[in-house]
Amino acid sequence: MSRLILWVIGRPSGHNDRGLLYTLVDDKGVLYDLRDEAFAGLEKLIEAGKLPSGMEMFIDIMDAWKENGTDILFRKAPHLLIVSALEESAAPMQDCIIALSTFELYARSRGIATIWNGLATLTISQLVPSLQKRLGIPEDHTIGYAMGFGIPAIRYERTINRGAPKVNRVR
Ligand SMILES: Cc1cc2nc3c(=O)[nH]c(=O)nc-3n(C[C@H](O)[C@H](O)[C@H](O)COP(=O)(O)O)c2cc1C
């Protein structure tokens, strides 16, 4: 794992600020505790009617968890990597996405599955802010994204044909 992160820290950053923090949860038990905290925080928010508008999907996510333990929030990924950047960096979001995209490619080349986790990102950065503190992510950091990863449960025989990309070639 530390080799994966070493690979990622060589990536460029805006203004060469290198203000990234890699928050790693590589212990499944710790991640499951975190997941419990996340769901508890979301439940409070929903019950208090304080879920921001546009985030109603979290009601269904909560119901699925409570009814049969279906984990839509973390997709049962056993590990999580969150990349955050000093708010005052020149390009905090771009730096985080470059780092995680590189991590994703390298992980996949080593047979490790990844998931860009927008729902966990929203939960940590906006809906249940106590999680940011619990994770030890400094307040002056912008959370770029959370990525779940682990040994894949499924092996795909082929990829999906997504058609041709739209290219705007200027002549
Ligand atoms: C920025 C971003 C955020 C995503 N967030 C989630 C998420 O919160 N939960 C989830 O299950 N999948 C999430 N995905 C996965 C996409 O839904 C998935 O990549 C897409 O459906 C294509 O499927 P494939 O990656 O298996 O080809 C996210 C993907 C991206 C790029």
Side-chain angles (χ1 to χ4, degrees):
M1 184 62 222
S2 50
R3 233 184 321 147
L4 282 181
I5 292 198
L6 270 179
W7 218 73
V8 166
I9 58 174
R11 303 302 294 143
S13 59
H15 199 244
N16 202 17
D17 278 342
R18 313 178 68 81
L20 296 183
L21 175 68
Y22 302 90
T23 298
L24 175 65
V25 187
D26 58 355
D27 182 311
K28 206 154 100 173
V30 174
L31 187 56
Y32 287 172
D33 287 348
L34 202 80
R35 183 173 68 179
D36 287 342
E37 283 179 51
F39 275 116
L42 286 172
E43 189 170 28
K44 263 195 210 155
L45 204 67
I46 293 167
E47 280 176 359
K50 289 191 175 154
L51 202 59
S53 92
M55 304 238 177
E56 291 75 14
M57 67 275 197
F58 280 94
I59 297 173
D60 291 339
I61 292 169
M62 192 71 233
D63 287 347
W65 175 248
K66 284 208 298 197
E67 278 163 27
N68 50 24
T70 302
D71 175 18
I72 298 173
L73 196 54
F74 290 94
R75 296 286 185 202
K76 289 206 303 204
H79 313 298
L80 192 70
L81 177 64
I82 301 161
V83 182
S84 61
L86 261 174
E87 259 161 27
E88 64 194 28
S89 308
M93 268 300 170
Q94 290 83 349
D95 294 350
C96 290
I97 301 302
I98 289 170
L100 273 175
S101 295
T102 307
F103 174 82
E104 175 182 42
L105 289 176
Y106 188 63
R108 288 190 177 204
S109 79
R110 306 300 299 257
I112 297 168
T114 54
I115 176 169
W116 288 88
N117 197 329
L119 293 171
T121 305
L122 277 174
T123 303
I124 296 162
S125 61
Q126 292 182 37
L127 301 177
V128 189
S130 58
L131 285 173
Q132 179 165 343
K133 196 167 181 202
R134 158 83 176 84
L135 283 159
I137 302 173
E139 276 178 29
D140 60 353
H141 270 224
T142 298
I143 294 184
Y145 233 79
M147 182 169 279
F149 65 97
I151 306 293
I154 295 167
R155 186 177 175 280
Y156 294 99
E157 290 304 323
R158 60 174 177 81
T159 185
I160 297 161
N161 182 353
R162 298 200 190 274
K166 280 187 193 155
V167 178
N168 175 26
R169 188 175 184 194
V170 180
R171 293 170 195 274

